[in-house]
Amino acid sequence: MRPTIYLRKPMPKFLIERDIPNAGAFSGDELKVISRRSCDVLKQMGPSIQWVQSFVTEDKITCVYIAVNPELVREHARRGGLPADRVLEVSKVMVPTTRESN
């Protein structure tokens, strides 16, 4: 008898734009505080949301998250005291090799 295999649809990916004046001037210690607070909230929320990475620019931090829905992303921001000015679901991902696919 063959085992039953259940395939789960991957969770959606989101880009979160956080408008934060002078974010690019934050020190490493300041970024650590934000990171720790974010990770603490993620632990409380469980495996339905994951932080992938963030990009710090002059007046913005743009984050990549994987979550079951955008509401969970907004809830994470609220609990962590972080802005979530725009939450955008990624519909497709392009990489340099995208040009080679049929």
Side-chain angles (χ1 to χ4, degrees):
M1 182 177 216
R2 299 176 100 185
T4 303
I5 298 174
Y6 297 96
L7 298 177
R8 292 189 311 171
K9 181 180 173 189
M11 287 195 291
K13 202 174 268 187
F14 295 93
L15 293 179
I16 298 87
E17 294 181 359
R18 305 183 192 283
D19 294 329
I20 302 174
N22 299 315
F26 285 179
S27 69
D29 287 341
E30 289 171 309
L31 293 173
K32 276 185 194 176
V33 168
I34 294 168
S35 176
R36 283 188 187 127
R37 186 170 59 221
S38 177
C39 289
D40 289 345
V41 172
L42 288 169
K43 284 180 191 174
Q44 295 168 11
M45 295 181 76
S48 296
I49 182 169
Q50 300 168 32
W51 174 23
V52 177
Q53 66 186 141
S54 296
F55 303 92
V56 180
T57 58
E58 185 177 339
D59 290 318
K60 188 175 291 216
I61 298 178
T62 304
C63 307
V64 179
Y65 276 70
I66 298 170
V68 294
N69 58 52
E71 291 76 24
L72 207 54
V73 173
R74 289 185 185 93
E75 176 65 15
H76 170 266
R78 187 190 66 73
R79 288 189 196 183
L82 299 165
D85 299 292
R86 291 186 73 195
V87 177
L88 306 163
E89 185 170 349
V90 175
S91 60
K92 293 181 177 55
V93 175
M94 290 182 355
V95 295
T97 56
T98 300
R99 67 182 177 87
E100 298 169 3
S101 62
N102 293 333

